[in-house]
Amino acid sequence: MEANIFAAGIALGLAAVGAGIGNGLVMSRFIEGIARQPEARGLLFTQALIGLGLVEALPVIAVAIGLIMFFR
């Protein structure tokens, strides 16, 4: 039982770190793109939101896998 709790904690922690790094990269490129070409702000914003949504899918999947490992 302790191994399941440990595995779930590791999975959730690594997913949170990965999502934080991914969000930072997406937003830094978004700001860089606006600085280079301000007139493309609308298109870049839409693409940044899609990118953030895809990056945030990782922790949601990790929570599901973590819960499966925890209750097994």
Side-chain angles (χ1 to χ4, degrees):
M1 183 66 177
E2 292 83 20
N4 292 348
I5 295 171
F6 182 72
I10 292 293
L12 295 178
L14 289 177
V17 169
I21 292 170
N23 285 340
L25 289 174
V26 168
M27 291 311 293
S28 70
R29 300 298 183 198
F30 169 63
I31 292 170
E32 182 180 328
I34 289 177
R36 288 176 182 254
Q37 197 170 6
E39 64 272 6
R41 183 177 185 182
L43 177 64
L44 291 174
F45 182 71
T46 303
Q47 291 177 350
L49 286 182
I50 291 170
L52 286 175
L54 291 173
V55 168
E56 286 298 321
L58 173 72
V60 172
I61 294 168
V63 166
I65 292 172
L67 288 174
I68 289 170
M69 286 189 294
F70 182 74
F71 289 112
R72 211 163 256 220

